[in-house]
Amino acid sequence: MKMIDNIERPLGQQIRAPWQWLINRKVYILTAILFLVGSFFLSQAVVFDMAVPFFLPIWALASMRYRKHMIYVFIGGMIGSSFLGVGQAVIHLTQLLLFHATLKIPVMKKSIPFTVAGSMVVSQLAWQLIKYSEGLPVAVQLSIGLEALLALFMTIFMLLAFPSIDRLLYGPWNPEQVSAMCIVGALATTGMGGLQIGYVSVAGVFLFLAIYVAAMVGGVPFATTVGMIIALIIGVSDLSFTGMMALYGITGLMAGGLKRFGKVGVITGSFFVSVFFLLYDATLPIDAVHFSTIGIAALLFFLIPSQKMNRIRQVLLPKQEGISEKRQQWLADKLDGQLEEFQQFAHFMSTLVSNRLTPEDEAAATVEVPSICQSCFRYRKCWESEEDGIAELIGEWEATYSATKKAARVRVEQQMKFKCLRFKGLMNELEEHGTNRLLMGQLQHGRKMLALQLRDMSTHIEKVMREVKEDLTTYKLAEEELANRLQAQGVEFFQIDILSEERGSCRIVVSVPEKKADFEAETTVGEYLIVPVLEQMYEEPIYISKSTYQPFPFPHVQLTFSSAVRFSLDYDIVTTAGRGTFQGGDAYEVFKIHDGLSAVLLSDGMGQDINAYHESRKVIRLMRECLGQKMDPETAIHTLHYMMALNGLDDMYATLDLALIDLQDGRLWSWKAGSMSTYIKRGDECIRLDSKTVPFGFLPSFSIEAKNEQLKSGDIIVMMTDGIFNGELQLEAQEEVMQQTIERFKEMDCHTIADQVMMEMERVFESVEDDRTVLVMKVDHIVPKWSKTNKKSKVSSN
């Protein structure tokens, strides 16, 4: 049997793997080459024929922002210094060691350019004092001061030209950064000295290519600026060729002026300037090498694709987005206006079909004296005398008319038959009146359903428009504000992306550098520095929901911050069937709608058989599906009642106890349809949430109200079915025993509390006839693993 590692792979696959590795690491490799070559030439760049000030600035840049590439700076710098002599290499190494020793002082970390200049002054003074034991000449002192001053400015230019790698590659460059980049590049070319390949000057190729690109991208202003910066640097580095300053400056002017003719016009303009200066000043070094250099630079310029040139233009001269932002704001305002109009329409329709009856409807639904009784000679005896009680029987008959069970209505009709002489006529009139009342109840429920559905439609459209508006909103101001807050706290970051600012569902992505020490975790900076800033900005708890390490295109850590949940929910359930049965009619379910909202469903089907259990499970399943479709709980309850009221079967109704627990704001919302009360045990206090609504499918007309209660840490919530209590005994005494049991075992877990409550109620009140279910929940504050403290200055009072 062959192992997978021993299987011979095709040649294409062997080549493809290293090539893919190079593609993935191209940013790192190109940056390493840039630092290696740049440090090599900068370390041997001589200014004013006496100062070599540029190795330590590039080393300081790498140590501050590109720590993984410090080894390449060291190798390139030491090799370049060795070309100037062993003594210069020793001086650079001494400056490097002194710079790192100085950085250990907290004050020196705040100003890197002055730290670089100070390190150069100290090391050069020590070296020159050893060389000139009798005293330093004035020229040497001036050269040391000049070198330190140039190093200070070079460090500033380095920090401006090379921000973090992500901003350098993917962010727009500001004018200051472009100018600093030109200065650094021109100084690097001075270190190339007389490096030539045949008749081509390598430094000249880079300089002319930079002018060509600037002319093609920005026209006359940009090309002239780049040309003058290059001319200034070349003139400072080599005083014998100060006449070349005018050549580079006018080259930028002419190349930019002929930009309208494309690349050919740019090249023609530069060539014309060189020919002019060749005829004008024979002392300038304009020879075959100069024109060969222009030819190679022109060839490379022609090889740059137009697509790449457009990307360079977007980086160097980004377009202004003021018009786009105004259009986005206009679209957002328009969406707000359309949403407000639809909400007004939905409110109007909801009011039009609200559940309030008109006076005519109320009159039709009110129980009145039947007309057949008004013409009867026994009217006074039946309606004005309390002995006969015919009015109470009629009221009881009307209460049982719409019930699914017929036995209670038949019993009342038999009692009425013995007391009324016109029984048949009375029953016909009551049937007609009951039918009208039944139709009025169905109309009432239909109106309520339509009003709730319009409200839900308005809510869904509002959510859709809000999401569209969030897509149009760039959160630019919020990102800038957050960036300023993080900078004020000294937090390093690459990029900030605000995905949502909605309270309770904030989502912010911050890219930070990878960990800098072994004791740091990936989330250390986010937990201890960024989270406090976000909590102060949005005034709600925030936590790190996701942390990912991204090696490409540069190593960094992406931290995703989301709204945190303040409370935790622990629960357990104890249930048992009634005496003499194997299958109970109770059903329950606890599930999360999302991280900050949990739903609790408890249903009791009528009866103690398998059909009752199936009915309660049906209610639970349908309610969960409705909540899963983002339906409002009140609309979902009315929908379920409508479905069960129209099924046309006897004994097909069930209770429902729905509780939504908001774990962020700490609030309990309760809807009840024929279910028992919910008890909240808080210290010595016990809060009861109850309702008088009938079960699903019991009556055609149906109304329900939501009750809510603010929760606190340590609250114990108890939900139950009616089998827990004995219906033949006083309710207050049973509630007292239940509360005492919860108080006695409140420190135990939820299962123990539920089990003890059930056993105690069975022992004291013998409540074992019906199905019994006890659901106990505990709510507690979530304490994060980390904590933040606001350090305030303490003023001692004497």
Side-chain angles (χ1 to χ4, degrees):
M1 181 178 65
K2 292 185 178 180
M3 301 297 290
I4 294 178
D5 292 341
N6 297 329
I7 297 177
E8 190 172 336
R9 295 189 176 96
L11 180 61
Q13 185 176 359
Q14 296 178 5
I15 298 176
R16 192 182 303 113
W19 176 254
Q20 186 64 36
W21 181 86
L22 289 176
I23 294 298
N24 294 337
R25 302 283 293 178
K26 64 179 180 180
V27 174
Y28 178 84
I29 295 173
L30 292 176
T31 307
I33 295 174
L34 175 65
F35 275 105
L36 182 66
V37 176
S39 60
F40 173 80
F41 289 113
L42 285 174
S43 62
Q44 56 181 331
V46 181
V47 182
F48 296 121
D49 295 331
M50 58 180 176
V52 189
F54 300 140
F55 170 69
L56 194 56
I58 192 173
W59 176 263
L61 171 67
S63 62
M64 292 297 103
R65 296 177 180 173
Y66 301 87
R67 299 184 64 87
K68 288 189 174 182
H69 299 84
M70 293 175 63
I71 183 63
Y72 305 107
V73 177
F74 181 80
I75 295 174
M78 289 296 99
I79 295 177
S81 302
S82 301
F83 277 87
L84 296 179
V86 179
Q88 188 62 48
V90 173
I91 292 175
H92 282 168
L93 184 60
T94 305
Q95 292 174 356
L96 185 150
L97 297 175
L98 184 60
F99 171 75
H100 281 282
T102 308
L103 281 182
K104 295 181 179 179
I105 304 174
V107 179
M108 303 305 294
K109 288 184 178 181
K110 296 182 179 180
S111 180
I112 300 300
F114 285 100
T115 303
V116 171
S119 301
M120 297 192 71
V121 169
V122 173
S123 60
Q124 282 286 11
L125 283 177
W127 177 266
Q128 298 300 336
L129 285 175
I130 295 174
K131 185 176 181 180
Y132 298 95
S133 58
E134 299 179 357
L136 293 179
V138 177
V140 175
Q141 297 178 16
L142 291 176
S143 64
I144 293 175
L146 177 62
E147 186 170 339
L149 186 63
L150 290 174
L152 185 146
F153 286 110
M154 186 60 174
T155 305
I156 296 175
F157 293 144
M158 283 281 189
L159 296 176
L160 286 175
F162 294 94
S164 57
I165 189 64
D166 62 317
R167 295 183 181 179
L168 180 64
L169 296 179
Y170 305 104
W173 293 2
N174 52 43
E176 295 81 4
Q177 183 179 355
V178 174
S179 301
M181 187 73 71
C182 293
I183 293 174
V184 173
L187 289 173
T189 57
T190 61
M192 297 179 183
L195 179 61
Q196 292 185 8
I197 301 177
Y199 286 93
V200 179
S201 172
V202 177
V205 170
F206 286 112
L207 295 178
F208 279 103
L209 185 61
I211 294 175
Y212 295 160
V213 172
M216 198 65 188
V217 168
V220 175
F222 192 50
T224 303
T225 302
V226 173
M228 291 304 299
I229 292 175
I230 293 175
L232 177 63
I233 299 301
I234 295 299
V236 170
S237 61
D238 195 347
L239 297 177
S240 60
F241 293 143
T242 53
M244 296 295 291
M245 296 175 60
L247 185 143
Y248 285 110
I250 298 178
T251 298
L253 176 64
M254 292 297 297
L258 297 178
K259 171 194 171 183
R260 68 183 66 182
F261 300 104
K263 293 183 178 181
V264 176
V266 172
I267 300 300
T268 303
S270 65
F271 184 79
F272 174 79
V273 172
S274 297
V275 172
F276 173 79
F277 274 89
L278 174 64
L279 300 177
Y280 177 77
D281 190 355
T283 60
L284 294 178
I286 301 177
D287 49 11
V289 174
H290 179 80
F291 287 103
S292 300
T293 300
I294 293 179
I296 297 299
L299 178 62
L300 295 176
F301 180 60
F302 274 115
L303 294 178
I304 298 177
S306 301
Q307 185 178 2
K308 293 290 184 181
M309 195 66 66
N310 292 332
R311 293 182 59 183
I312 295 174
R313 182 181 293 106
Q314 293 176 1
V315 173
L316 299 180
L317 300 173
K319 295 181 179 180
Q320 300 296 327
E321 298 182 354
I323 298 178
S324 178
E325 291 179 1
K326 291 181 179 179
R327 178 172 178 81
Q328 290 177 357
Q329 184 64 37
W330 175 79
L331 288 175
D333 294 340
K334 187 175 181 180
L335 285 177
D336 288 338
Q338 293 177 349
L339 177 60
E340 184 178 357
E341 291 178 359
F342 183 82
Q343 287 178 336
Q344 291 177 357
F345 169 74
H347 177 72
F348 166 74
M349 293 299 295
S350 298
T351 305
L352 188 64
V353 296
S354 63
N355 58 345
R356 297 186 178 274
L357 295 177
T358 62
E360 294 78 6
D361 296 335
E362 292 179 355
T366 303
V367 177
E368 297 180 352
V369 179
S371 59
I372 193 172
C373 292
Q374 295 178 3
S375 61
C376 182
F377 67 94
R378 298 188 61 183
Y379 173 78
R380 289 182 177 272
K381 184 178 180 181
C382 293
W383 290 93
E384 296 182 1
S385 175
E386 298 181 358
E387 297 178 358
D388 213 1
I390 190 68
E392 295 180 359
L393 290 176
I394 291 178
E396 186 177 353
W397 184 91
E398 290 181 346
T400 60
Y401 176 76
S402 56
T404 54
K405 286 186 176 182
K406 309 300 183 183
R409 187 174 63 179
V410 172
R411 177 181 55 81
V412 176
E413 289 178 355
Q414 291 296 330
Q415 295 178 5
M416 293 173 59
K417 185 176 182 180
F418 288 107
K419 292 185 178 183
C420 182
L421 297 177
R422 300 181 176 180
F423 174 71
K424 291 185 178 180
L426 177 62
M427 291 307 302
N428 291 334
E429 186 172 349
L430 289 180
E431 288 281 354
E432 182 180 357
H433 180 75
T435 302
N436 291 335
R437 189 167 60 88
L438 182 63
L439 293 176
M440 190 59 60
Q442 293 176 350
L443 177 62
Q444 167 91 2
H445 185 66
R447 288 177 171 179
K448 184 68 174 180
M449 286 282 294
L450 181 57
L452 292 175
Q453 290 171 359
L454 282 174
R455 186 188 64 182
D456 282 0
M457 185 181 298
S458 175
T459 303
H460 283 295
I461 292 180
E462 180 184 5
K463 182 179 179 181
V464 171
M465 288 191 173
R466 185 168 61 247
E467 292 177 353
V468 173
K469 183 179 177 182
E470 288 180 356
D471 293 338
L472 294 174
T473 305
T474 59
Y475 295 111
K476 184 177 181 180
L477 296 178
E479 291 173 356
E480 292 178 355
E481 180 182 356
L482 180 57
N484 294 333
R485 289 173 180 255
L486 295 179
Q487 290 174 359
Q489 297 294 329
V491 180
E492 296 184 11
F493 61 92
F494 295 140
Q495 185 175 352
I496 297 175
D497 295 310
I498 298 180
L499 306 180
S500 175
E501 285 188 314
E502 184 179 359
R503 184 171 182 83
S505 59
C506 288
R507 191 171 179 85
I508 302 165
V509 180
V510 181
S511 300
V512 299
E514 58 180 329
K515 61 181 183 179
K516 298 181 179 179
D518 294 337
F519 62 86
E520 289 187 6
E522 289 186 353
T523 59
T524 300
V525 175
E527 290 178 348
Y528 289 94
L529 298 179
I530 302 179
V531 166
V533 175
L534 293 175
E535 288 185 345
Q536 183 180 8
M537 181 174 176
Y538 291 101
E539 298 180 351
E540 65 173 312
I542 303 292
Y543 79 108
I544 300 177
S545 60
K546 186 178 180 182
S547 172
T548 57
Y549 175 77
Q550 300 291 340
F552 309 111
F554 50 87
H556 66 281
V557 178
Q558 285 186 353
L559 301 176
T560 302
F561 299 89
S562 304
S563 298
V565 176
R566 302 185 183 186
F567 294 89
S568 64
L569 178 66
D570 186 22
Y571 71 92
D572 212 324
I573 301 171
V574 175
T575 182
T576 183
R579 179 178 295 173
T581 60
F582 294 96
Q583 181 69 47
D586 295 348
Y588 58 85
E589 193 159 353
V590 181
F591 60 95
K592 285 185 177 181
I593 297 178
H594 54 76
D595 290 339
L597 186 64
S598 295
V600 183
L601 298 173
L602 183 60
S603 179
D604 182 9
M606 296 299 102
Q608 298 177 349
D609 54 6
I610 190 65
N611 293 328
Y613 175 74
H614 287 166
E615 195 64 21
S616 60
R617 285 304 308 172
K618 175 183 177 183
V619 170
I620 295 293
R621 178 178 57 82
L622 293 177
M623 178 56 65
R624 176 160 187 172
E625 290 179 358
C626 291
L627 295 177
Q629 295 298 326
K630 310 299 182 183
M631 187 180 293
D632 186 86
E634 187 177 0
T635 308
I637 290 174
H638 277 272
T639 302
L640 260 64
H641 174 75
Y642 180 77
M643 294 173 58
M644 300 191 67
L646 297 182
N647 58 17
L649 300 177
D650 293 337
D651 297 332
M652 296 299 287
Y653 52 91
T655 67
L656 177 68
D657 197 350
L658 167 62
L660 294 181
I661 302 177
D662 190 336
L663 297 178
Q664 186 177 32
D665 293 335
R667 184 169 292 275
L668 169 68
W669 298 84
S670 178
W671 290 266
K672 295 181 179 295
S675 57
M676 292 294 294
S677 301
T678 297
Y679 298 89
I680 303 175
K681 192 71 171 65
R682 181 180 300 160
D684 297 333
E685 181 184 7
C686 187
I687 303 171
R688 186 174 72 179
L689 303 178
D690 51 16
S691 175
K692 298 181 180 179
T693 308
V694 297
F696 285 153
F698 192 78
L699 294 175
S701 59
F702 182 81
S703 63
I704 191 169
E705 294 181 358
K707 294 187 177 181
N708 68 90
E709 183 68 28
Q710 185 69 43
L711 298 177
K712 295 183 179 180
S713 180
D715 285 354
I716 301 176
I717 306 170
V718 180
M719 298 171 61
M720 63 189 69
T721 57
D722 57 356
I724 293 296
F725 292 141
N726 192 332
E728 299 178 357
L729 301 178
Q730 188 179 7
L731 179 62
E732 289 75 9
Q734 298 182 70
E735 288 181 340
E736 182 67 24
V737 173
M738 183 192 66
Q739 295 177 20
Q740 292 175 359
T741 306
I742 297 174
E743 178 67 25
R744 189 162 60 250
F745 296 96
K746 64 181 181 181
E747 301 298 332
M748 307 297 289
D749 58 274
C750 294
H751 180 78
T752 302
I753 297 175
D755 194 38
Q756 292 296 327
V757 168
M758 180 171 290
M759 289 192 302
E760 190 70 11
M761 299 302 289
E762 291 177 358
R763 184 184 65 83
V764 177
F765 303 104
E766 299 181 354
S767 55
V768 294
E769 296 296 332
D770 197 3
D771 302 329
R772 303 174 302 284
T773 300
V774 179
L775 193 154
V776 177
M777 294 172 283
K778 278 188 174 183
V779 177
D780 291 300
H781 273 305
I782 293 179
V783 180
K785 297 180 181 180
W786 52 270
S787 61
K788 67 179 190 300
T789 56
N790 294 325
K791 298 181 179 180
K792 298 182 179 179
S793 58
K794 300 180 180 179
V795 181
S796 58
S797 57
N798 297 327

